[in-house]
Amino acid sequence: MNRPAPSRIPRPGKEGNVMFDEEYEVVVVGSGFAGLAAAIEAREAGRSVLIIEKMRVPGGNSAISGGMFAVVGSPLQESAGVQDSPALLAADMVRAGQGLNQPDLVRTVAEHSLEAFLWTRDHLGVAFDDALIHGGGHSLPRTHITPGCSGAAIIQAMLVRCRELGIPLRMQCALEDLVRDRDGRVAGLAVRDGYIFPQPGSGARIRIRATRGVVLASGGFSQDVAFRSALNPRLDATIDTTNHPGATAEALVSALRAGALPVHLSWIQMGPWTSRDEEGWGVGSMFTVLVGFPHGIMVDATTGRRFVNELTDRLARFRHIAMEGRDPMVIVGEEAALRYPSLTQCLKRKVVWKYDTLEALALDQGIDAAPLAETLAAYNEAAGRGVDPVFGKPVKAESRYQIRPPYYLARLKPKVHYCNGGILINPGAQVLDAGTQGPIPGLYAAGEVTGGVNGACRIQGVAICECIVFGRIAGRGAAEG
Amino acid sequence: MNRPAPSRIPRPGKEGNVMFDEEYEVVVVGSGFAGLAAAIEAREAGRSVLIIEKMRVPGGNSAISGGMFAVVGSPLQESAGVQDSPALLAADMVRAGQGLNQPDLVRTVAEHSLEAFLWTRDHLGVAFDDALIHGGGHSLPRTHITPGCSGAAIIQAMLVRCRELGIPLRMQCALEDLVRDRDGRVAGLAVRDGYIFPQPGSGARIRIRATRGVVLASGGFSQDVAFRSALNPRLDATIDTTNHPGATAEALVSALRAGALPVHLSWIQMGPWTSRDEEGWGVGSMFTVLVGFPHGIMVDATTGRRFVNELTDRLARFRHIAMEGRDPMVIVGEEAALRYPSLTQCLKRKVVWKYDTLEALALDQGIDAAPLAETLAAYNEAAGRGVDPVFGKPVKAESRYQIRPPYYLARLKPKVHYCNGGILINPGAQVLDAGTQGPIPGLYAAGEVTGGVNGACRIQGVAICECIVFGRIAGRGAAEG
């Protein structure tokens, strides 16, 4: 597709009694994976499209994410001989989600993961690593990752495509209200143009008509302390988060006011792999995700013992840490540690600590060496046999699973990571009305602002996958709308 | 207080652009415990009050509830030598609620439970039984009950008081929309007058102004299969409920559209004590609540073994039943069974079964007698010593805890019972705005339509208690508003 003419069509329109200042066929709120995927699809279907983004930089959490993509039936799985199926991913999602997931949404993600991955790789030209990851909560390895271990690579490719397509991306433009007409259809939105985050009322209020559809892809609210602690008073300002500053609830709230059905809002995910020695997501989270949990052990510093399968889902790991009052640390051997590209940075920032002997580790961390030595010996023996009899971790009988000196250690502290809940959509990415439980005409949503896909707990790599699956569905739906 | 003049003042008013057909100082939505308590308080504070109720009969779930009232520091506790405190009740609520409860709301209930109980007993003249119940999830006995084991006695006394106060109770009048004025204040409501449940759009749409406040006390949505299964797809139409037919979500949804903050909606409580041999709440639920669980054992019919502390909270009991695939039945001895006033009815309806011997029980129910005999012997031995070493049930060394022939058995099947979540209020019963997390001026709420008090799981007798505590606070707040 060659560059089309710019899609901005400032043709003031009128809907019922509401005067609009501008008009597009499709308006997308948010510039992360879901929003950009929706915009690309809608534009490629020939529609005029506007993307609005409240922050000064595009990409939201997507740009700082780990770049992990759960895929069923990928070429990498095939070459590794991993027998996967959409039904198996769906079962993993529902097990972690405690059955709160809507089955048709789960099925949609699982059945479209490969198509979404290939679109990202081939249509957008995003490179992926040639190693497969066995992520927490998955019954087998199916996670793919970008070479830099960051979602920024995907966002960059999406932004390039948006530029090629001539889609305007209006920064510092925040959704204030969705406008429903007399028939209940979302006819457009009122925004703050020139918005300065996080100042309510900053910028000028203007109304933008969307003749075919609005796509909400505004992300979660992990940074919104007042909102999240209304849902869970323990998630107050003393709890850190991995999220970017703009992960706040305003757009979600405007959808609720417009009648969208909220589900699972209090299921706010705590990441079990974040470091206590840095703020936010940092450099340490991916050390633990990529090497610490798959190839190492998590022990309680107080006891020197493991207490959970390091590869169970995030909610289960967090609950063991929180309810049992654990002081968690992860320990891994050198062969595994060196696989993490940012290891040097981790060591420099003292987020990962290197010790030549177990005694040095125990002395420096002020813990008892004896039980830790026992734990390591038992784990190495289990990993040697390829079976973890105590916690059922899926270990492989490979030498890199053996934890030998020198040891690499990271000290963990869970942080708010992801909002499992949001507004409910159907498999067509249409937002459902709280009153009728049927679609709100003209309103679509995708990504973290939605709920129902993950239920109580999202598992690794499903965020990017669902953002692209439902973002594309939402964009096509709005284009046809 | 003598009978005042009727409080209906049909003085049409205007608020912004909205024309109102009628005007009161306080309008209460719903005629259960919370609504009637609010109406009584507001009227006794001298305000004109209207109660609207969408059904043909008043009382909602309150009128068919078990009439159990959790109270801290009651005369009955004192005479029984039970050392209780508001902090202890609060701790029980938060433990069952998994910490999702808002601490200030929990504290408000715990600190006002005695005052609310005495108001119900002395001001309204409701009689209570002289036996104290140790309810599931409570660390000690604190539940009081009406002689007929029904909330109808409290509703009747409240309706009498409302009549004495001249408060109009308009039946078949359903909330359709809350009206917020330009300043964001709830100025009144649009209703369907002459509404025929459950027909949307039936009756005439009229607007009622509330110059001081609207109190939402519209209850939960356990009967609303479409709404509840959007939140939890497993709670579909195949799952029964204990609730009255009017327990649907329309009023809650109108509050969400008006900007109220929803919390914990997906925490829908399953009652672990309902019978599989009758529909709904029936006569069997209270048999299990009052005698089966406190004085008997719950076993899995398949194994003949106990599998959980019969007096832990409802969520924990339900999870054991559901996640372990249990086929639960409760068995109790005669001394305990005879304590339940409706035992004859239970036997007649084959909701409770009586057997002279264990062999007869096992044969008739098609289960293995040997493990059941072992289970009973172990339990009797434990109850004799006053300690349950396996499940930690708080058994007392009293003869009535011994389970001897003849045996009384009820077969259980969990049913949807209660909505822990709803719109968030503050300790002043003011409804909070999803956007600002501050109070919505003019809007109050109490009872099951609210969330935040119980978090993940409400425990026994707290519903009536919180309805009356927050209903009264809401009524006084609206009167002052």
Side-chain angles (χ1 to χ4, degrees):
Chain A
M1 197 171 178
N2 290 327
R3 294 195 185 202
S7 65
R8 181 166 166 181
I9 306 163
R11 191 158 41 109
K14 191 175 175 180
E15 194 76 34
N17 288 325
V18 182
M19 284 297 300
F20 290 101
D21 302 291
E22 298 180 32
E23 179 178 314
Y24 294 84
E25 287 177 301
V26 175
V27 180
V28 175
V29 180
S31 64
F33 298 129
L36 297 181
I40 290 168
E41 285 290 341
R43 186 73 195 101
E44 289 185 352
R47 302 307 174 200
S48 65
V49 177
L50 170 71
I51 305 166
I52 66 169
E53 165 59 57
K54 72 179 174 189
M55 305 302 284
R56 288 169 191 274
V57 289
N61 278 334
S62 300
I64 60 165
S65 77
M68 289 178 289
F69 201 135
V71 190
V72 171
S74 70
L76 216 51
Q77 274 191 325
E78 269 183 40
S79 65
V82 177
Q83 300 278 327
D84 201 357
S85 73
L88 210 51
L89 171 56
D92 289 347
M93 289 172 66
V94 170
R95 187 177 55 247
Q98 299 188 8
L100 291 178
N101 331 51
Q102 288 294 340
D104 51 358
L105 299 179
V106 171
R107 204 160 40 234
T108 303
V109 169
E111 288 175 355
H112 292 81
S113 71
L114 180 59
E115 181 191 320
F117 175 72
L118 296 177
W119 181 82
T120 308
R121 193 190 68 176
D122 303 335
H123 189 67
L124 301 178
V126 176
F128 284 90
D129 210 359
D130 60 1
L132 214 50
I133 302 163
H134 190 151
H138 291 274
S139 54
L140 41 74
R142 57 165 74 98
T143 307
H144 297 63
I145 192 165
T146 59
C149 305
S150 167
I154 303 172
I155 290 293
Q156 283 309 326
M158 288 177 144
L159 289 172
V160 166
R161 185 76 191 127
C162 286
R163 258 197 308 277
E164 286 170 358
L165 291 166
I167 305 171
L169 166 52
R170 194 177 301 177
M171 306 304 298
Q172 293 185 260
C173 183
L175 171 64
E176 199 163 63
D177 286 302
L178 291 167
V179 179
R180 286 183 82 167
D181 66 18
R182 281 156 202 273
D183 300 327
R185 181 182 176 85
V186 169
L189 56 177
V191 301
R192 286 280 165 185
D193 202 18
Y195 173 74
I196 300 167
F197 178 83
Q199 300 172 23
S202 58
R205 183 172 162 106
I206 62 167
R207 290 199 182 84
I208 305 172
R209 186 176 179 183
T211 56
R212 290 183 176 269
V214 170
V215 178
L216 260 188
S218 50
F221 53 83
S222 290
Q223 275 277 6
D224 198 324
V225 174
F227 194 82
R228 78 184 193 208
S229 62
L231 294 158
N232 184 343
R234 295 188 176 175
L235 302 183
D236 63 13
T238 65
I239 309 295
D240 195 6
T241 171
T242 61
N243 281 210
H244 84 118
T248 52
E250 307 93 326
L252 169 66
V253 169
S254 73
L256 299 183
R257 275 200 308 267
L261 173 50
V263 297
H264 313 154
L265 293 185
S266 64
W267 289 101
I268 300 167
Q269 181 166 85
M270 300 293 289
W273 15 243
T274 37
S275 165
R276 61 183 283 188
D277 294 310
E278 64 181 347
E279 285 184 1
W281 175 252
V283 293
S285 300
M286 285 304 284
F287 171 82
T288 303
V289 169
L290 291 181
V291 301
F293 283 165
H295 306 301
I297 54 173
M298 173 161 58
V299 298
D300 183 343
T302 313
T303 64
R305 309 281 181 192
R306 291 172 71 211
F307 53 91
V308 67
N309 166 9
E310 291 85 352
L311 288 184
T312 186
D313 68 68
R314 295 166 179 180
L315 179 57
R317 284 176 288 183
F318 170 69
R319 285 196 163 162
H320 276 275
I321 293 170
M323 289 182 178
E324 299 164 8
R326 303 295 183 177
D327 179 6
M329 43 175 55
V330 70
I331 301 172
V332 72
E334 188 158 71
E335 188 181 343
L338 291 175
R339 293 165 57 95
Y340 180 49
S342 305
L343 181 65
T344 314
Q345 241 184 322
C346 287
L347 292 165
K348 199 172 148 195
R349 296 192 196 173
K350 293 199 172 165
V351 165
V352 173
W353 318 55
K354 181 182 175 185
Y355 299 102
D356 287 332
T357 65
L358 199 59
E359 292 64 35
L361 182 157
L363 189 68
D364 189 46
Q365 294 292 333
I367 64 179
D368 191 354
L372 188 56
E374 279 174 33
T375 302
L376 277 172
Y379 183 80
N380 284 337
E381 195 267 336
R385 287 186 295 123
V387 179
D388 171 21
V390 187
F391 298 105
K393 178 177 174 181
V395 288
K396 281 189 205 151
E398 292 177 18
S399 68
R400 67 167 184 255
Y401 280 85
Q402 300 283 327
I403 306 171
R404 298 195 197 83
Y407 302 103
Y408 291 76
L409 174 147
R411 311 193 296 183
L412 308 181
K413 186 177 186 181
K415 301 176 186 177
V416 180
H417 182 62
Y418 181 80
C419 298
N420 295 294
I423 52 177
L424 186 61
I425 54 171
N426 66 14
Q430 295 175 288
V431 176
L432 301 186
D433 185 285
T436 65
Q437 296 94 43
I440 297 175
L443 187 60
Y444 301 80
E448 197 176 351
V449 75
T450 69
V453 175
N454 298 295
C457 173
R458 177 178 67 76
I459 56 177
Q460 185 195 69
V462 167
I464 296 187
C465 183
E466 72 164 284
C467 279
I468 293 178
V469 167
F470 280 115
R472 294 182 69 206
I473 292 173
R476 287 195 298 258
E480 287 162 21
Chain B
M1 196 173 178
N2 290 326
R3 292 195 186 202
S7 65
R8 182 167 165 180
I9 306 162
R11 191 160 39 111
K14 192 175 172 179
E15 194 75 36
N17 288 325
V18 181
M19 284 298 299
F20 289 102
D21 302 292
E22 298 180 32
E23 179 177 313
Y24 295 83
E25 288 177 301
V26 175
V27 179
V28 176
V29 180
S31 64
F33 298 129
L36 297 181
I40 291 167
E41 285 290 341
R43 186 74 196 100
E44 288 183 353
R47 304 305 175 200
S48 65
V49 177
L50 170 71
I51 306 167
I52 65 170
E53 165 57 56
K54 72 179 174 187
M55 305 301 283
R56 288 168 191 274
V57 289
N61 278 334
S62 300
I64 60 165
S65 77
M68 289 178 289
F69 201 136
V71 190
V72 171
S74 70
L76 215 52
Q77 275 191 325
E78 269 184 38
S79 65
V82 176
Q83 300 278 325
D84 202 357
S85 72
L88 210 51
L89 171 56
D92 289 347
M93 289 172 66
V94 170
R95 188 177 54 249
Q98 299 189 9
L100 292 177
N101 331 52
Q102 288 294 339
D104 52 358
L105 298 180
V106 171
R107 204 158 43 233
T108 303
V109 169
E111 287 175 357
H112 292 82
S113 71
L114 180 58
E115 182 191 321
F117 175 73
L118 296 176
W119 181 82
T120 308
R121 193 190 67 175
D122 302 338
H123 190 69
L124 301 179
V126 176
F128 284 91
D129 209 0
D130 61 359
L132 213 50
I133 302 163
H134 189 149
H138 291 275
S139 54
L140 41 75
R142 58 166 74 96
T143 307
H144 297 63
I145 192 165
T146 59
C149 305
S150 167
I154 303 172
I155 289 294
Q156 284 307 326
M158 288 178 144
L159 289 172
V160 166
R161 185 76 191 128
C162 286
R163 259 196 308 277
E164 286 170 1
L165 291 166
I167 305 171
L169 166 52
R170 194 176 302 176
M171 307 304 298
Q172 293 185 261
C173 183
L175 170 64
E176 199 164 62
D177 287 301
L178 291 166
V179 178
R180 288 183 81 166
D181 67 17
R182 280 155 202 274
D183 300 327
R185 182 183 174 84
V186 169
L189 57 176
V191 301
R192 287 279 165 184
D193 201 17
Y195 173 74
I196 300 167
F197 177 84
Q199 299 172 23
S202 57
R205 183 171 164 108
I206 62 167
R207 291 202 182 80
I208 306 171
R209 186 174 178 183
T211 57
R212 290 182 177 269
V214 170
V215 178
L216 259 189
S218 49
F221 53 83
S222 291
Q223 275 277 7
D224 199 324
V225 174
F227 194 81
R228 78 184 194 211
S229 62
L231 293 157
N232 183 342
R234 294 186 176 177
L235 303 183
D236 61 15
T238 64
I239 309 294
D240 196 5
T241 171
T242 62
N243 281 211
H244 85 118
T248 51
E250 306 91 327
L252 169 66
V253 169
S254 73
L256 299 184
R257 274 200 308 266
L261 174 49
V263 297
H264 312 156
L265 293 186
S266 65
W267 290 99
I268 300 167
Q269 181 167 85
M270 299 294 289
W273 14 245
T274 37
S275 164
R276 61 183 282 188
D277 294 310
E278 63 182 347
E279 284 184 1
W281 175 252
V283 292
S285 300
M286 286 303 284
F287 170 82
T288 303
V289 169
L290 291 180
V291 302
F293 283 165
H295 305 301
I297 53 173
M298 173 161 58
V299 298
D300 183 343
T302 313
T303 64
R305 310 281 181 194
R306 292 173 70 212
F307 53 91
V308 68
N309 166 7
E310 291 85 352
L311 289 183
T312 186
D313 68 68
R314 293 165 180 182
L315 180 55
R317 286 176 287 182
F318 169 69
R319 285 196 164 164
H320 276 277
I321 294 170
M323 290 182 177
E324 299 164 7
R326 302 297 183 178
D327 179 7
M329 41 176 56
V330 69
I331 301 171
V332 71
E334 188 159 70
E335 188 182 344
L338 292 176
R339 294 164 56 95
Y340 180 48
S342 305
L343 181 65
T344 314
Q345 242 184 321
C346 287
L347 291 165
K348 200 172 145 197
R349 296 193 195 173
K350 294 199 172 165
V351 165
V352 173
W353 317 56
K354 181 182 173 185
Y355 299 101
D356 288 331
T357 65
L358 199 61
E359 291 65 33
L361 183 157
L363 189 67
D364 190 44
Q365 294 293 334
I367 64 178
D368 190 354
L372 188 56
E374 280 175 30
T375 301
L376 277 171
Y379 183 80
N380 284 336
E381 195 268 336
R385 287 187 294 122
V387 179
D388 171 21
V390 187
F391 298 105
K393 178 177 174 180
V395 288
K396 281 189 203 151
E398 291 177 19
S399 68
R400 68 166 182 255
Y401 281 85
Q402 300 282 328
I403 306 169
R404 297 194 199 84
Y407 301 104
Y408 291 76
L409 173 147
R411 311 194 297 183
L412 309 181
K413 186 177 184 179
K415 301 175 187 178
V416 180
H417 182 61
Y418 181 80
C419 297
N420 295 293
I423 52 178
L424 187 62
I425 55 172
N426 67 15
Q430 295 175 287
V431 176
L432 301 186
D433 185 286
T436 65
Q437 296 92 47
I440 297 175
L443 186 61
Y444 302 80
E448 197 176 349
V449 75
T450 69
V453 175
N454 298 295
C457 173
R458 177 177 67 75
I459 56 178
Q460 186 194 71
V462 167
I464 296 188
C465 183
E466 72 162 285
C467 279
I468 293 177
V469 167
F470 280 115
R472 294 182 69 205
I473 292 173
R476 288 195 298 258
E480 287 161 22

